[in-house]
Amino acid sequence: MTLSGELIAFFGLALVAILGGVLLITLTKVVHMVIALVFTFLSIAGIYLLLSAEFVAVVQILIYSGAITIVMLFGIMLTKHQESDEPAKGGWGKITLLLAIAGFAVAVYLGIYNLDIPVQPATLHEENTKQIGIELFSKYVIPFEVMSVLLLVALVGAIVLAKKDDEEGDQS
Amino acid sequence: MDWNTMLSYNWGAMMPEFIILGTAMILSILDLFWPKHFNRRKLAWLALTGIILACLSLISLLSFESVSILSDTFRLDSFAKAFKLLLLFGAGLIILLAESYEPQEGLHEHRGEFYYLFLTALLGAMIMSSSGDLITLFVGLELLSLSSYILVGIRKHDLKSNEASMKYVINGGISTAITLFGMSYLYGVTGSVNLAEMSRTMAALTDGQLQYIMGLAFFMVFVGLSFKIAAAPFHMWAPDVYEGAPTPVVAFLSVISKIAGFVIILRIFLSLFQTASGDVFGALDFLEKNNIYIASLAGLTIIIGNVIALRQQNLKRLFAYSSIAHAGYLLVAVATLGGGYFLMDTVWYYLLAYVLMNIGVFAVIQLLSSQSGSDDISILAGLGKKSPYLAIAFTVFILSLAGIPGTTGFIGKLNIFLGTFITEPGHFVLAGIMIAGTIVSYVYYFGLLVQVFFRPFHSDKVIKIRSGLYTVLIICVIGTIIFGVAPNLAFDFIHDQFGDFTDFISSK
Amino acid sequence: MTGVPLSAYLVLALVLFCIGLYGALTKRNAVIVLISIELMLNAANINLVAFSKLGVTPSITGQVFSLFTITIAAAEAAVGLAILMSLYRNRKTVNVDEMDIMKH
Amino acid sequence: MMENAWLIPIFPLVTFLVLLLSGGRLRERGAYIGIICTLASFILSLLVLMERFKEPTYKITIDWLSIGGTQLKAGFEINQLNALMLVIVSLVSLLVQLYSKGYMKGEERFSTFYAYLGFFTFAMLGLVMAPNLLQLYFFWELVGVGSFLLIGFYYYKQEAKNAAKKAFIMTRIGDVGLLVGIILLFWGTGSFEYGEIFQAVQSGVISNEGLTLIAILIFIGAVGKSGQFPLHSWLPDAMEGPTPVSALIHAATMVAAGVYLVATMFPLFLASSAAMQVVAITGGFTAIFAASIALVQKDVKRVLAYSTVSQLGFMMLALGTAGYVAGVFHLMTHAFFKALLFLAAGSVIHAIHTQDIEKMGGLWGKLNWTGPLFLTGTLAISGFPLLSGFFSKDEILMAAWENGNYLLFALAVITSFLTAFYMFRLFFMIFTGESRSQVKQVKESPSIMLLPMLVLAFLAVISGYVQTPWFGTFLGEWLMEGNETLLGGNSHSEGPVWIMVMAVLVSLAGIFLAYMIYAKKKLPRSWLVQENNEFYRVLDNKYYIDEIYHFTVGYAIKGLSLFLSYIERFIVGGVVSTVTISIEGLGKIGSKLQTGQVQRYGMIAFLGLAVLLVIFAVTGGYLR
Amino acid sequence: MNVYLLSLLVFSPLLGIVMVALMPKKEERTIKQFGFFGTLPPLFLSFFLCSQYYSGVALSLFDIKVNWIRFGNLEVYDPKLFTVNFELGLDGLSLIFILLTTIISSLAAIASIYIKQEWKGYYLLFLILEIGMLGVFTAENLILFFIFFEMTLIPAFFLIGRWGFLEREKASYSFLIYNGIGSAVLLVVILILFARTGTTNIAALTQMMTMGGVSLFAPISGSMKYGLCLAFLIAFAVKLPVFPFHSWMVRVHAEAPPSIVMIHAGVLLKIGAYGIIRFGMGIFPEQYKSLAFTVVLFGVLSFLYGAFLALVQTDFKLVLAYSSISHMGIVMMGLGALNEAGIQGAIFQVISHGLIAALLFFLVGVLYERTGTTMLPKLGGLAKSMPVFSGFMLACGMASLGLPGMSGFISEFMVFLGLFKSQPTLAAVGVIGLILTAVYILRAVMLMTFGKTNSLVEKEKWDLKGLEFVPALVLLGLIISVGVYPNLLGGPLQGTIEAMMLALGGR
């Protein structure tokens, strides 16, 4: 495998993504964790770019690195979080979990580590957004519309659940 | 794609969905604009009307050949028709339940939201049952899930309700992730999200590695979806969530959501894995080769559901485990593929039975627990004396759940067994587990009847039954008995209308 | 054109998935749990996008799928947070391991 | 007449039913119904007997039970033996019922007593008339029930209760043997009918060993009913019943049924010499064994009971030594004199209200009728010359001698000595010496009781003359008529004259010895053995047979029962509770896992996935 | 008319159900009367059927067959496949069982006068139970059989658990679980047969299993037939019950209300024997033949085991319970004898025990009503205060221990007659039980009726009276009539037994 720029970029991004993930696990402060994950999300966006999915990459940055992370941070702030997140001491549980994850990872890894399908020429990067748009509005109208309902549901749900009720406001 | 192509599609086939969607919209607008003092309970009737209309339009569609819109993102095939009927039927009953729901604290200020979230959830389930496209299925699944997360937590001043929805959302998120991860591999292996295309690709698959990945995907999707049907290993949320959620929502989760789960499992598995090649020579089908896994999970589910149910003192938890067990029974049918002859009618019939008996049971529970403010099984005590008709109705449901002849539950189980035995070698171990589970279930089911008939009652509050709940009880009792005594009413219907579900995969 | 092989993306996705899973199953703070779940969904997205370009028959569908996924993930996060809010209001805690009034 | 013979048992059955249904309202009037019905039976029996002298055997059957193609029959048969038996049974029954009218006077459940007597008589007559083994067995058990009811008549007495139970169970043991024998015989010969069985046996369809086994099994039935060793111990206990019952059942009729059975099945026994041997030895041993116990008993009825056992042993001995006629003959004479003795003893008891001979004495003058009657019976049983017992016992000795088994012969001789001794011991203890009784005013029994005794005494004296060495062997010839080959025996056993002489001497010696000890008191009572002597104690305790049974069979059964109830509780119940506990335990573990920790739930789900995947990876065979 | 007669018979208790259901709760007398009247239509109909049989009408005239359920969508292969018909039919064997059922039900309805509460529910369940029993004996296919079989289970569960003695709930659970297991095994067998052959009609199955038929689906292998036969035997052995599956029955006998035990011991247990004859022996004669030794072995084991345990019980109900186990052992022995005598004996024993047990438990009910106990040490000397009762008790005990002249003897005799032919060794072991039976029956009966009068039972005028004579006399009368003239019962059975013997391949 020759060391091409793409490869370097990939390794860099992958490293950052994984590092972000690892930091998520190892850091103790909740806010830090979220920040660490922003890096992951960003580098995933980078990965998307490498995969000629510019639109997705942009969406990723907007939604994940932007919206979701900020919403989460708001969530943390609103819930007056304990500064640090001390993992509960569950020795056996954690070991089992690690074993399970290891087993899972190995099993999947066996399947994919050398899965290299001969690359067929594809022109995904050309007018990527347009391609997506055409696809979305020709084939996937129905899920798209359902998605709108879903977002409405999420909206309503978020309001219903997170809204401070009047009477409760009075009490507090 | 221009407007004309758009119009050329037979949108009439989506009428039921449109009606539900429209009703949901109308409800949400009404809820928004109607004055606060207006009793939102009336919205239930509107919702019910919507469901009935949807049902009627679906019935008018029954005679249609299978319709496919927009490269299978929507399919109205016999499978979809059959299960949407069930979904709408169940949903109608649950709306009636919800109309009568009068918890001692909680729901009133969000009753309006409740109804249209309910309808969107139903919409999600309907989409799941009539799509031949992975993306649409996934979106439908998520619509159902998100709506039910909110429904579970809708009694937001109730600690249990909060906790239940939190647990539900966390587990649901994980399950979604796992499912999606699996789906991504499926997409990778086939390069398509159209089930028909995928099926063709997978059937022609000869590369061992790709088959392996296909297998991985299979397991991930299966385990992910087992969340929806509350089957092992993803069953553990169920008791807690059931306990915390409002009773109509529990009925919804245990019935509609479960039907939807089975629908999507059947959709995906029958479309993809039944014909997928199970080895490099293409001699074996994938499901045929790997049904042992589903079978073991089915067995495990049955055991877990029944055995742990033995220890439950809380009615909702008990029925959570019971519903886990029933998911296990149904998985038996899935694992054995009904022996090749009995799959669809078995699952459909069993789900019909399950709709009737489970909603009936939850109707009784809702009635009793909202009066006593408790979910403990002791609230059943003395019911036989206090209200013999209610007690008899409850007995009918329990007997049906336990699979006693004369009820739908028996015929349903019988059908499942036929599927297990008809093949050679028969799935005797699985059948054995199922039968053992059934016997264990006698203990707790009849324990409830012992409460009803043998124990004295402590409070002699008169039991008031609202008309909605009354209707539910009557429909469920009659259905449970009629379809138990004359199951051919259902069988003939399904065979006449849908034949052997032969239009299941084939795309136009 | 020698690009990054498919397997590399897949392995990356796998690793991220596992990390997300670990986070979701061990972190006490519910927000982190939710965000870990987002990470898992992201991992799936990487798969989808990677297959979309480097899969058997490259097509844009994978990217479309991932767009749906991202949206759903956002909605889910929003709902999850809303639920957390209402829970927090009653319980004053965001620690998932303290949510155990219902068990056995 | 013979075709109407089925009425004979019906009459007593009518008694039973009428008295039972009347429910005690008839009180002592019930006796009349009983007596009249039995009289009818007796008369009919006599007529049948008369007719049978002239005509051949009469048999009629109907289908009773179809088993596949096989038809089992029911009906009746009148041959020589059972015609004779019919008369004996109905006569004794009639006399006992007459007697009971006086004896049971004042009893609260008077009519119940007659009902039971009626039932018993019905069963016994039915037994006698049975044309096949199955029907015989049928009535055989009914007879047992009749006996059970009568022994337990005083239901409130613990001893009566135990005795009734013991009688039923011990005879049941024999019955089971009989049943098995019958069944085996059926499979061997394909029939229950006597005639067909004997023909089949003669034609040799059953192996010799099979025959022996069957014969012995049938004999076990007889052993049970006739109180032969080792199933004898119920008979003395049965004396807890009212005395007339003892006379009827435990002297004259039921206990003789065993002998009757062996006599009826005689051709079968003849076919197996080993079985004959067993019968003879059992009989001989029982005779001397019971006689020795009778020597020391103090209860008048028990002495008589052991005497009965001993006499039945005699009959078995006779049959076992091919003395068919001798056995039947002794059966008949014994029926009369033993019934007489019991009734007389009952009369004594009735007079002084005790059964303990130590508390009697000096009654000769006071009981003017009973004394001589008792003496008649005693003489008859002792084999005093020219009385019935003398002839029949003589026949038995002859038969034993002729058979060539000298040991058995010797046993018989010794037994007849002992018989004479203990019977006269009894007589002297009761009637001579001074009164040891508390009852001062001793009253003779009413005539209703004396009349039956007189009849019996008469018969005890003369009934021997139907078969004597001097006036012809009428009985034997008649019994053998048409059956010589089958019965294989002679109508009369010939033997040296000294046997008869010796028999007379022996019994006289016994009488003399008893006289010296108990009447004249010339010899001290400890002349033979000290009262506290080991030997004496063994005899007094009846060889500890009951105790042995109690400690072996009784304890074994009880132990086994307890052992099995432990199995029931701990193994059968244990398995069940193990299953339930383990299921519940599983549930406990399952619900323990349900910690309420949501991450635990997700983890377990994921663990499930991981396990599935690992297994799939390892076994899937997709990757090489 | 003839065609509907059987359905009419089976469902005729519905009339009573409706009548009772329409009664207000408090009307004790009327409900009791209606409950009893409810048992009369089936009684009369069964008498009518019986008279038809004796007047020479072929029983097959009464068969009815209506399409009912069609499973699966297999019309392309054969429209009859996987069809379950509603089919009822009669033969001599079922006729006798039907008679037993109707008679004992009516008598038990009389004996239910002792029920103290909730008469309405009691009689409703009682009549449903009767429908179930009648259905079981007339069902012509296995699914229908099973449905009726379960239909007996549920009412019995409630009857035991609601109206029983102190430990009733435990007993009813025990009843439910054991019978549940038994019926589950049964269901599995039925469904395997159904799935593999596409039919559950008994005659058709018999044909297929013995002659071999073409199966559209996976065939039933030889070893599987053994398994199925064995499973049938186990399922019905639980019902019968046979050692070691008996413990539920002991509890039920001890705790259920006596009138229900009359039904239970009188009829319900008999379903086990009926099933073994019909299905174990009928459908799998070959396999059954080779399992016969085991059948006899367990028969002998139960016979002795029950007898030994009955010896040490202190509760009369328990004595009777173990005695039932013991007597059911005789049934097994007969069924395993594989010859006419044995099988006929077994059937006789079933009927006979049905009558005797019903009578005994009726008497237990009377006794409990008077004295409030059935503990043997507390009783004694009943012959004084209740002479008629004691007479019946004694007669019944005698019947139970197989006294000639009573029905028990005929059956025991035939069973041993048959068994000595085919399994002489086991038969020889078995006869010990005959002695033990006498011992424990006498012990129990005499402890109650003989001996000193106990203070508990001193009261005079306690004896049987009025209506109580009806069950006692009818049952005793039947016991004696069968005992005296067994061909009364033997006649109708001949056809069935002959067919059975033919299938078993001669004797």
Side-chain angles (χ1 to χ4, degrees), chain E residues 36 107 110 362 465-476:
Chain E
F36 169 66
L107 297 179
I110 295 179
F362 169 70
K465 55 177 182 275
L467 209 55
E468 292 172 343
F469 272 107
V470 178
L473 281 177
V474 170
L475 287 171
L476 192 62

Side-chain angles (χ1 to χ4, degrees), chain B residues 311-456:
Chain B
R311 295 180 52 81
Q312 300 308 315
Q313 290 302 314
N314 181 301
L315 273 176
K316 284 185 184 165
R317 286 188 87 81
L318 192 147
F319 280 98
Y321 284 110
S322 144
S323 85
I324 292 172
H326 282 272
Y329 302 149
L330 270 165
L331 274 183
V332 171
V334 175
T336 58
L337 290 175
Y341 298 94
F342 298 105
L343 179 57
M344 283 308 191
D345 46 356
T346 299
V347 173
W348 191 82
Y349 184 88
Y350 200 92
L351 284 172
L352 172 66
Y354 187 72
V355 166
L356 290 168
M357 58 202 186
N358 229 33
I359 291 181
V361 158
F362 279 114
V364 177
I365 293 177
Q366 177 186 319
L367 183 63
L368 294 178
S369 70
S370 65
Q371 287 200 345
S372 63
S374 147
D375 290 336
D376 197 78
I377 56 171
S378 62
I379 61 173
L380 288 169
L383 188 62
K385 272 224 179 88
K386 233 183 333 190
S387 173
Y389 293 108
L390 194 58
I392 289 172
F394 186 70
T395 311
V396 169
F397 302 139
I398 291 294
L399 292 183
S400 182
L401 284 167
I404 302 293
T407 59
T408 44
F410 171 69
I411 304 284
K413 283 210 178 91
L414 209 151
N415 242 335
I416 294 177
F417 278 121
L418 278 184
T420 45
F421 292 133
I422 196 168
T423 48
E424 177 71 41
H427 300 264
F428 294 117
V429 177
L430 193 53
I433 291 173
M434 181 164 161
I435 212 112
T438 307
I439 290 167
V440 173
S441 78
Y442 284 1
V443 176
Y444 61 85
Y445 284 139
F446 280 82
L448 299 177
L449 295 185
V450 164
Q451 290 285 343
V452 170
F453 290 106
F454 299 171
R455 298 272 189 269

Side-chain angles (χ1 to χ4, degrees), chain A residues 33-46:
Chain A
M33 293 181 193
V34 178
I35 303 296
L37 215 54
V38 171
F39 288 103
T40 308
F41 288 146
L42 283 174
S43 42
I44 290 173

Side-chain angles (χ1 to χ4, degrees), chain B residues 102-150:
Chain B
E102 309 172 84
Q104 294 191 326
E105 53 160 330
L107 196 59
H108 40 274
E109 71 270 34
H110 296 303
R111 211 176 262 281
E113 285 88 345
F114 176 88
Y115 295 126
Y116 57 81
L117 286 174
F118 182 87
L119 288 180
T120 52
L122 177 63
L123 183 65
M126 287 165 77
I127 295 289
M128 280 159 82
S129 59
S130 65
S131 177
D133 176 272
L134 217 50
I135 295 180
T136 319
L137 286 175
F138 183 70
V139 173
L141 173 71
E142 282 308 304
L143 179 55
L144 170 64
S145 303
L146 276 182
S147 307
S148 21
Y149 298 153
I150 300 162

Side-chain angles (χ1 to χ4, degrees), chain D residues 366-383:
Chain D
K366 293 173 185 161
L367 297 173
N368 290 328
W369 289 93
T370 309
L373 288 169
F374 197 102
L375 181 62
T376 316
T378 315
L379 286 172
I381 194 173
S382 307

Side-chain angles (χ1 to χ4, degrees), chain C residues 57-101:
Chain C
T57 42
S59 67
I60 197 78
T61 318
Q63 295 190 12
V64 176
F65 202 158
S66 70
L67 282 176
F68 279 107
T69 315
I70 290 171
T71 324
I72 286 169
E76 203 173 281
V79 170
L81 266 178
I83 291 170
L84 184 65
M85 287 298 162
S86 74
L87 178 95
Y88 178 77
R89 199 167 292 140
N90 291 327
R91 292 277 292 270
K92 305 285 178 244
T93 180
V94 289
N95 286 348
V96 279
D97 57 351
E98 287 166 31
M99 300 175 199
D100 60 351
I101 54 171

